Amino acid sequence: MDVLTALLLLVHLIPVSAAKNGVSSKSRKRIMPEPVTEPPGTDPVYEALLYCNIPSVAERSMEGHAPHHFKLVSVHVFIRHGDRYPLYVIPKTKRPEIDCTLVANRKPYHPKLETFVSHMSKGSGASFESPLHTLPLYPNHPLCEMGELTQTGVVQHLQNGQLLRDIYLKKHKLLPNDWSTDQLYLETTGKSRTLQSGLALLYGFLPDFDWKKIYFRHQPSALFCSGNCYCPVRNQYLEKEQRRQYLLRLKNSQLERAYEEMAKIVDIPTKQLRAANPIDSMLCHFCHNVSFPCTRNGCIGMEHFKVIKTHQIEDERERREKKLYLGYALLGAHPILNQTIGRMQRAAEGRKEEVFALYSAHDVTLSPVLSALGLMEARFPRFAARLIFELWQDREKPSEHSVRILYNGVDVTFHTSFCQDHHRRSPKPMCPLENLVHFVKKGMFVTLGGSSTNYFDACHREGF
Ligand SMILES: *[C@@H]1O[C@H](CO)[C@@H](O)[C@H](O)[C@H]1NC(C)=O
Ligand SMILES: *[C@@H]1O[C@H](CO)[C@@H](O)[C@H](O)[C@H]1NC(C)=O
């Protein structure tokens, strides 16, 4: 089966039903399965298609759903960058010909695409912390550079931004019309794809924003751990997790055979092929409906793709069971979660700064946060994935604040380890802010096991 047939088959397999999101139903249809209530399945091609997150395949959104007596106080958005060109090449093959310029007559398209480009060309370096000011503000190469955001990636985040605009600005009035610089908190890693993804989302959210009011901070660490990155125990968990991955791979003879076949096709040693991480490049072929590369020895095919993708699913399953990744995730996600609760607590006290926070990041950022929150069933972050924390105030009891947590538009609040089953005991459809705060300050270390009660001790535990 070729890529095209697989795509067409799948598009037919996915059921379509009407959206009910109370905002603008015309553009959104529920087609995707829920990532949490439906854990990753076993069909590798279907899983890969979800991962591509092709914009014509719309999904439902539960962001901003709350009873009338609740007031939205602040919103914290974590995104993975949108669709990108591969980071690796398959040696001795022609790399996929994908055009990273933004043009109106190519799909996928978004009505704001042209105005996005013209707005970006007016941007100035003053809006960015160094070294972000050296990066291009939108993708612009006729043959994509390695890792470059594609038009698909831009459209994905224009869509995310527009969706958040409809819900948080139009419906819940999170920001006044004359919003000020300090009401936004914007942070991105130093890759062009994360900066551009953040800008596309921001443009969808606040079209034609005033450049003078925008300031993007630079985050050097993919864990967003700022001044608290040094954590030896976290690295020890990661080494054990990588050992687990390695042993699982050794056990999979089908995978080994697939790598051998592919190595033969491109005529390099199997080891070298594996090191070139071919699935990264193959996913790009797959998501863009470009056939896999061929040489005079033959073609890399859908069978190879399926074997590797199936192994990835199996790897994720074992990862959940063995809990080594959980240890890494709890320590890796602590600094950013700690920062987020700090921001929420300040907003709950009535301060008006930083009511909208956007962190433009990577799969290796979102994945630990999801695991740390206890969202074990959540799918691996797809392109343009979004994880959102909403803070609400009960107007009937103004001292009470609650949170909702959403992953790709699905309400996962009651799947988190700190709010599991809370809704069975309380009539409120939300989680008390204290639950999240207590979890970040104490609960995370209890989950980790051992006797540490704070981040510093947990990171330096002797004899681990
Ligand atoms: C994939 O590309 C082929 C041309 O190679 C085109 O005919 C087909 O419509 C494309 N399929 C999808 C799902 O975009
Ligand atoms: C947690 O946040 C507080 C401020 O809200 C800060 O003082 C503290 O250093 C942070 N701790 C860690 C480990 O990030």
Side-chain angles (χ1 to χ4, degrees):
M1 184 163 52
D2 65 10
V3 180
L4 165 65
T5 324
L7 279 175
L8 290 178
L9 269 176
L10 278 161
V11 169
H12 286 293
L13 285 173
I14 302 171
V16 180
S17 67
K20 275 200 243 130
N21 52 44
V23 183
S24 94
S25 53
K26 59 185 184 304
S27 61
R28 256 165 261 141
K29 292 187 196 122
R30 151 107 169 105
I31 323 186
M32 290 288 187
E34 300 197 352
V36 163
T37 51
E38 269 170 62
T42 46
D43 182 344
V45 180
Y46 181 66
E47 291 299 316
L49 191 69
L50 293 185
Y51 180 86
C52 300
N53 189 14
I54 295 165
S56 64
V57 183
E59 36 126 6
R60 88 158 158 194
S61 142
M62 294 295 287
E63 276 104 347
H65 279 225
H68 276 301
H69 55 100
F70 279 84
K71 178 181 182 294
L72 185 62
V73 179
S74 72
V75 171
H76 310 256
V77 181
F78 297 81
I79 52 169
R80 184 186 179 199
H81 57 77
D83 179 78
R84 60 153 169 76
Y85 198 72
L87 299 170
Y88 305 85
V89 288
I90 303 178
K92 298 195 181 177
T93 59
K94 205 159 84 86
R95 61 192 187 98
E97 273 177 39
I98 305 219
D99 185 341
C100 275
T101 59
L102 304 179
V103 294
N105 62 2
R106 184 191 318 123
K107 282 183 181 169
Y109 174 72
H110 189 280
K112 290 206 175 92
L113 191 69
E114 291 103 313
T115 50
F116 169 72
V117 173
S118 71
H119 199 62
M120 290 306 110
S121 41
K122 290 179 220 138
S124 90
S127 304
F128 304 100
E129 183 180 353
S130 173
L132 300 175
H133 65 283
T134 60
L135 300 172
L137 304 186
Y138 57 94
N140 56 4
H141 294 90
L143 173 58
C144 300
E145 307 212 306
M146 303 308 290
E148 188 169 17
L149 194 67
T150 65
Q151 175 158 325
T152 307
V154 170
V155 170
Q156 285 166 337
H157 278 304
L158 286 172
Q159 255 182 20
N160 275 338
Q162 172 115 41
L163 181 138
L164 302 188
R165 172 181 179 75
D166 288 344
I167 297 168
Y168 296 137
L169 296 186
K170 291 197 184 153
K171 187 171 173 205
H172 291 292
K173 318 272 183 255
L174 181 67
L175 294 171
N177 289 332
D178 59 346
W179 54 273
S180 64
T181 305
D182 55 11
Q183 289 182 300
L184 304 186
Y185 182 84
L186 308 169
E187 190 171 348
T188 175
T189 63
K191 303 288 184 198
S192 65
R193 61 182 174 280
T194 44
L195 177 68
Q196 293 165 3
S197 293
L199 284 166
L201 188 146
L202 190 67
Y203 188 79
F205 188 61
L206 293 164
D208 299 311
F209 58 75
D210 180 351
W211 276 106
K212 290 197 283 301
K213 294 204 270 180
I214 297 300
Y215 191 70
F216 267 90
R217 278 158 218 278
H218 171 238
Q219 174 54 249
S221 156
L223 287 173
F224 281 64
C225 47
S226 309
N228 292 300
C229 291
Y230 183 63
C231 185
V233 173
R234 183 192 72 217
N235 296 341
Q236 289 166 30
Y237 274 114
L238 186 60
E239 281 159 28
K240 291 185 185 186
E241 162 65 12
Q242 285 165 343
R243 176 92 192 141
R244 175 201 66 71
Q245 274 191 330
Y246 172 72
L247 294 175
L248 183 72
R249 203 186 76 205
L250 286 191
K251 277 194 276 185
N252 189 338
S253 55
Q254 226 192 350
L255 181 70
E256 193 57 27
R257 262 200 312 279
Y259 278 129
E260 277 164 19
E261 277 176 32
M262 289 162 62
K264 216 170 258 165
I265 291 167
V266 300
D267 194 23
I268 55 172
T270 309
K271 231 172 123 181
Q272 191 190 339
L273 178 81
R274 206 189 284 110
N277 196 10
I279 190 67
D280 182 59
S281 185
M282 290 164 82
L283 274 165
C284 174
H285 286 263
F286 178 84
C287 295
H288 288 265
N289 187 22
V290 173
S291 42
F292 296 127
C294 295
T295 70
R296 59 190 149 79
N297 303 331
C299 293
I300 292 177
M302 191 53 102
E303 329 79 70
H304 303 123
F305 181 78
K306 282 193 199 166
V307 171
I308 304 179
K309 194 71 203 164
T310 301
H311 176 76
Q312 280 189 335
I313 296 169
E314 175 62 18
D315 181 67
E316 278 182 55
R317 197 192 52 72
E318 197 196 62
R319 186 175 94 171
R320 284 195 290 274
E321 273 173 14
K322 293 264 165 97
K323 308 262 161 108
L324 294 164
Y325 185 77
L326 180 62
Y328 167 77
L330 285 163
L331 292 171
H334 182 268
I336 184 66
L337 288 174
N338 178 54
Q339 207 190 104
T340 300
I341 58 164
R343 215 160 258 138
M344 284 182 165
Q345 285 175 313
R346 291 193 294 277
E349 286 164 11
R351 304 216 214 144
K352 297 281 175 235
E353 304 97 69
E354 302 181 348
V355 295
F356 182 81
L358 172 65
Y359 307 89
S360 189
H362 303 268
D363 55 354
V364 291
T365 318
L366 264 66
S367 186
V369 174
L370 291 167
S371 293
L373 294 175
L375 298 171
M376 290 305 171
E377 306 283 81
R379 282 191 160 80
F380 188 80
R382 66 190 191 194
F383 290 130
R386 60 181 197 274
L387 175 66
I388 298 187
F389 294 63
E390 298 174 348
L391 179 67
W392 296 84
Q393 181 180 37
D394 189 345
R395 285 198 186 91
E396 292 169 358
K397 293 182 190 142
S399 63
E400 290 187 11
H401 287 82
S402 306
V403 292
R404 295 179 74 233
I405 298 183
L406 300 113
Y407 182 46
N408 296 333
V410 179
D411 184 349
V412 295
T413 312
F414 301 115
H415 294 268
T416 60
S417 54
F418 54 89
C419 227
Q420 225 149 37
D421 300 328
H422 176 79
H423 56 310
R424 299 218 185 99
R425 286 176 276 116
S426 155
K428 275 194 199 175
M430 299 188 192
C431 188
L433 173 60
E434 301 81 70
N435 281 38
L436 175 60
V437 170
H438 183 268
F439 175 71
V440 175
K441 298 211 157 142
K442 303 224 166 64
M444 291 181 92
F445 306 109
V446 175
T447 311
L448 197 58
S451 56
S452 311
T453 55
N454 66 62
Y455 180 69
F456 185 82
D457 288 349
C459 283
H460 296 84
R461 200 150 35 116
E462 292 285 335
F464 164 73

